[in-house]
Amino acid sequence: MVSTLSRHRRKRRNPSVSDSRVPLRRRFLVCEPRHFAVQYAINPWMHPDTHVDVDLAQEQWRTLIHAYEAHGHSVDAVEPVPGLPDMVFAANSAVVVGGRVFGSLFHAPERRPESTHYDLWFKKAGYDVQRPQAVCEGEGDLVWTGRYVLAGTGFRTTREAHREVQEFFGHPVISLTLVDPHLYHLDTALFVLDENNIAYYPEAFSPGSRAVLAQLYPDAVLATRDDAMAFGLNSVSDGRHVFIAPQAEALALRLDDHGYVPVPVDLSEFHKAGGGIKCCTQEIRS
């Protein structure tokens, strides 16, 4: 991808367009994939007979952490727990806005114990944690845009949880219905580029939800299903740099056209469990 992007930038009419994009320093919470495995099936990507190369997963994960740190972001880590193979997917643990933490209540019983360990980390770090009453899977389905929360539903997080989140944070929550089982979390179908724009795959959403997104973000970067299936929308942006799966080359080129700087990081071993870069990354917003 890097060479393709380089050639693309040389052909672009205004190669300095990215100079207007200002990165904001982020604080991320992650969990080492020491116990990562595919031991059960709770989404279409997962097959219990799939072999996971744990050494490769750890190497890919460390590459992601190094990429974050090289771009000026700080990274904290939760200690992984044996018997919780999906704990590496830190994004599902909570959503943090304005220093307030709204925790998780997983749909799958296999993942519910993860919440206790993340809650404990947040409490030790000095945060109060609000426990949801309805099924809620953190940043997997709840995306803070800087103005409101985009909230996914259809497969995991419920609309009842959306109402809880609005009451807790006091910010508008916009419910969006997901319709593609492979894109079961909002963060597989959409990500925030900056406070003014997003990238998303329209057909991942119901017609009404597509209409809402088109009104809110008329200049959004639109992705294809191929982009989404390559985990290109499970990306993390700091407003300038976009940490993205190298398999989503076409989306990276479109982002480059819009002045963002793709930073390819291969987390393909985690695709076996239906996760990628964003799934492994919880953002702590103070």
Side-chain angles (χ1 to χ4, degrees), residues 107-121:
H107 178 268
E110 294 92 338
R111 296 198 65 185
R112 289 192 173 183
E114 296 176 31
S115 301
T116 300
H117 300 285
Y118 278 101
D119 289 355
L120 182 59
W121 186 92

Side-chain angles (χ1 to χ4, degrees), residues 1 3 53 62 66 84 96 102 119-120 123 128 131 142 146 169 184 193 202 221 228 236 239 242 245 249 257 266 282:
M1 182 199 290
S3 60
D53 186 333
R62 285 192 294 268
H66 293 157
L84 297 178
V96 186
F102 191 88
D119 289 355
L120 182 59
K123 289 174 182 177
D128 292 327
R131 299 291 311 135
L142 302 167
F169 288 121
Y184 57 93
L193 287 162
V221 177
V236 171
V242 178
E249 186 170 338
D257 280 336
D266 185 12
Q282 165 71 234

Side-chain angles (χ1 to χ4, degrees), residues 1-2 4-5 8 191 199 221-228 230-233 235 244-258 260 262 264:
M1 182 199 290
V2 175
T4 303
L5 276 173
H8 185 73
F191 72 96
V221 177
L222 299 183
T224 66
R225 193 167 193 271
D226 286 344
D227 297 324
F231 289 84
L233 291 167
S235 297
I244 186 171
Q247 296 84 356
E249 186 170 338
L251 178 57
L253 294 176
R254 287 195 293 280
L255 292 168
D256 184 69
D257 280 336
H258 283 75
Y260 299 96

Side-chain angles (χ1 to χ4, degrees), residues 23-35:
L24 297 177
R25 290 196 173 186
R26 310 290 193 186
R27 182 185 179 193
F28 299 130
L29 180 63
V30 299
C31 182
E32 180 190 349
R34 195 181 308 159
H35 310 294

Side-chain angles (χ1 to χ4, degrees), residues 60-77:
Q60 291 180 343
W61 181 84
R62 285 192 294 268
T63 299
L64 176 64
I65 304 312
H66 293 157
Y68 285 153
E69 293 174 338
H71 287 83
H73 306 302
S74 63
V75 180
D76 294 290

Side-chain angles (χ1 to χ4, degrees), residues 197-251:
N197 211 1
I198 64 171
Y200 72 103
Y201 167 49
E203 283 71 26
F205 300 91
S206 67
S209 297
R210 290 201 299 270
V212 168
L213 288 170
Q215 290 180 56
L216 292 175
Y217 297 101
D219 299 318
V221 177
L222 299 183
T224 66
R225 193 167 193 271
D226 286 344
D227 297 324
M229 295 295 282
F231 289 84
L233 291 167
N234 198 242
S235 297
V236 171
S237 173
D238 64 14
R240 174 179 169 86
H241 308 101
V242 178
F243 302 88
I244 186 171
Q247 296 84 356
E249 186 170 338
L251 178 57

